[in-house]
């Protein structure tokens, strides 16, 4: 299964204080269902459904936090409930998302859309910061590879377009510098938070690639 969806639900054990109600059980079940679909998508399957890796991770986080707050469960107990639900579905479908009932997947995606809606598309300054961060990460890990150089080029284009867009709003040069710096700090803080919680996906800069096209 897609470990990203449950990796952050690990903590100390303990007996559940309150049994899960029907709605909480359904939420846990949907996290499991979408985890199976997301896992299939990482192997190039289940393309009939929208990409679920990043959003499914956020949905798992939202559900986990809600169950812990409402039922008094620990992170480990929520994780174990998700694992049990995944195992039950895998036993029924032999682990293939194609064998999951279409209506179940659709209903779970609808629940995810309602409880963990997709964030608004990033702005040009945010994209410039995200792609710059991605370039620096790739360069630090792999060196100045062709992929790193491509990211550097894309980041340069986005930085230029972001600065031009801010100037078009009437900002002075110093105001543009300040806005770009503040945006980069905010993106860096968000990336750090996502790594720390062990549940959220990394920053998704894929929408930014379209902004960098000629």
């Amino acid at each position: 299964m897609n470990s990203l969806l449950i990796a952050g639900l690990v903590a100390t054990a303990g007996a559940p204080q309150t049994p899960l109600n029907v709605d909480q059980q359904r939420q846990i079940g949907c996290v499991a269902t979408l985890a199976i679909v997301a896992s299939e998508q990482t192997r190039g399957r289940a393309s009939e459904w929208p990409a679920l890796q990043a959003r499914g991770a956020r949905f798992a986080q939202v559900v986990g936090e809600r169950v812990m707050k409402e039922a008094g469960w620990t992170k480990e107990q929520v994780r174990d409930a998700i694992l049990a639900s995944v195992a039950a579905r895998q036993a029924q479908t032999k682990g293939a998302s194609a064998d999951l009932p279409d209506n179940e997947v659709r209903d779970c995606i609808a629940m995810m859309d309602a409880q963990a809606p997709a964030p608004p598309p990033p702005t040009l300054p945010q994209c410039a910061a995200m792609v710059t961060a991605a370039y620096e990460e790739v360069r630090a890990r792999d060196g100045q590879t062709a992929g790193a150089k491509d990211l550097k080029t894309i980041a340069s284009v986005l930085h230029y377009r972001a600065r031009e867009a801010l100037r078009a709003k009437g900002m002075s040069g110093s105001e543009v510098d300040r806005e770009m710096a503040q945006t980069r700090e905010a993106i860096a803080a968000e990336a750090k938070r996502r790594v720390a919680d062990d549940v959220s996906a990394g920053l998704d800069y894929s929408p930014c690639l379209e902004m960098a096209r000629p």
Side-chain angles (χ1 to χ4, degrees), residues 28-49:
I28 291 289
C30 274
V31 170
T33 292
L34 298 184
I36 292 173
V37 177
S39 181
E40 290 279 281
Q41 289 178 337
T42 63
R43 295 193 287 273
R45 305 168 191 164
S47 58
E48 67 272 26
W49 303 110

Side-chain angles (χ1 to χ4, degrees), residues 42-65:
T42 63
R43 295 193 287 273
R45 305 168 191 164
S47 58
E48 67 272 26
W49 303 110
L52 295 173
Q53 178 111 358
R55 293 198 52 211
R58 173 60 181 153
F59 179 53
Q61 182 183 30
V62 168
V63 169
E65 290 175 351

Side-chain angles (χ1 to χ4, degrees), residues 22-142:
V22 173
D23 186 54
Q24 291 163 343
Q25 291 177 32
R26 181 167 176 261
Q27 292 174 41
I28 291 289
C30 274
V31 170
T33 292
L34 298 184
I36 292 173
V37 177
S39 181
E40 290 279 281
Q41 289 178 337
T42 63
R43 295 193 287 273
R45 305 168 191 164
S47 58
E48 67 272 26
W49 303 110
L52 295 173
Q53 178 111 358
R55 293 198 52 211
R58 173 60 181 153
F59 179 53
Q61 182 183 30
V62 168
V63 169
E65 290 175 351
R66 179 176 294 123
V67 170
M68 285 185 286
K69 180 178 180 179
E70 295 175 352
W73 284 29
T74 65
K75 291 181 180 179
E76 184 177 69
Q77 288 157 355
V78 176
R79 180 207 60 183
D80 290 346
I82 294 174
L83 286 172
S85 188
V86 168
R89 281 160 172 73
Q90 288 179 324
Q92 294 172 349
T93 65
K94 300 182 176 61
S97 64
D99 294 328
L100 289 167
D102 284 355
N103 63 324
E104 178 183 338
V105 178
R106 280 196 300 270
D107 288 348
C108 288
I109 289 174
M111 179 187 289
M112 178 187 69
D113 287 342
Q115 297 189 12
T123 64
L124 270 168
Q126 289 172 332
C127 277
M130 282 193 285
V131 177
T132 297
Y135 159 67
E136 292 172 348
E137 179 182 348
V138 171
R139 183 187 61 181
R141 184 184 66 237
D142 304 328

Side-chain angles (χ1 to χ4, degrees), residues 143-165:
Q144 196 73 348
T145 61
K149 291 177 182 177
D150 288 343
L151 286 172
K152 183 178 181 181
T153 299
I154 293 170
S156 296
V157 171
L158 289 169
H159 271 281
Y160 173 78
R161 292 182 180 175
R163 296 182 72 86
E164 288 297 298

